């Protein structure tokens, strides 16, 4: 998104093993779901040292936090609308089904907010294994965003499809955040790869794979050998 904002971009792979400089190739797509999205052409990839992955984790976390704020605004617009819109002699907010729907969305947003706060704390720790938490946050962000937008669009009715209305603008704005740099299937694949590499520290912890542990041991021994 906003690929033409800068002449050059630093591109990082999520494995943290390589980087490349990229340049904007074409003008923005100008599509309804990605107005400022553009293509990048990456140069040759170069191996980098430890720490590159932290740049990617911060970008993905900031994207999720931005999407959270947009979803919260979409929810607020929906609550205001169902309170004002009257149908069958009462506000839409008076119907039990509408209340249940809003309660479900509100709970999902509260959970996403807490998960975002936790992920930010993990980033402060500086542990590269935080990539697992960051990708887990992104996966939850995509899930919650779609749930919020679906409920907001349905409760607004035809009004939600008007280009002049704020909800329509938020819907289009959220599309690049939930689809770039990878969509839901791509996020799941990256999350599984990160768990395989770093493990997952939770109530039921998942250890790293044997291949990843062997690779890490070799890397640590190489670092020790370089110490004077």
């Amino acid at each position: 998104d906003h690929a033409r904002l800068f002449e050059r971009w630093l591109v990082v792979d999520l494995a943290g093993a390589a980087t490349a400089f990229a340049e904007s190739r074409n003008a923005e797509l100008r599509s309804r779901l990605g107005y400022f999205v553009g293509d990048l052409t990456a140069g040759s990839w170069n191996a980098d040292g430890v720490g590159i992955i932290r740049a990617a984790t911060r970008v993905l976390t900031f994207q999720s936090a931005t999407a959270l704020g947009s979803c919260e605004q979409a929810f607020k617009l929906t609550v205001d609308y169902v309170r004002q819109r009257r149908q069958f002699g009462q506000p839409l907010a008076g119907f039990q089904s509408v209340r249940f729907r809003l309660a479900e969305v509100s709970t999902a947003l509260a959970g996403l907010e807490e998960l975002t706060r936790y992920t930010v704390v993990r980033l402060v720790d500086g542990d590269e294994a935080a990539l697992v938490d960051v990708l887990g946050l992104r996966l939850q962000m995509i899930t919650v965003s779609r749930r919020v937008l679906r409920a907001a669009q349905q409760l607004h009715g035809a009004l939600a499809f008007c280009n002049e209305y704020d909800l329509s603008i938020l819907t289009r704005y959220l599309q690049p955040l939930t689809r770039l740099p990878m969509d839901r299937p791509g996020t799941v694949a990256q999350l599984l790869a990160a768990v395989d590499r770093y493990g997952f520290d939770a109530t039921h912890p998942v250890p790293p794979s044997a291949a990843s542990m062997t690779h890490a041991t070799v890397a640590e021994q190489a670092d020790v050998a370089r110490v004077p």
Side-chain angles (χ1 to χ4, degrees), residues 45-58:
W45 289 86
N46 300 312
D48 274 285
V50 178
I52 291 297
I53 191 62
R54 295 173 185 171
T57 57
R58 281 163 172 75

Side-chain angles (χ1 to χ4, degrees), residues 122-134:
R122 290 284 286 131
L123 290 181
V124 173
D125 294 339
D127 186 1
E128 288 193 1
L131 176 63
V132 177
D133 300 282
V134 171

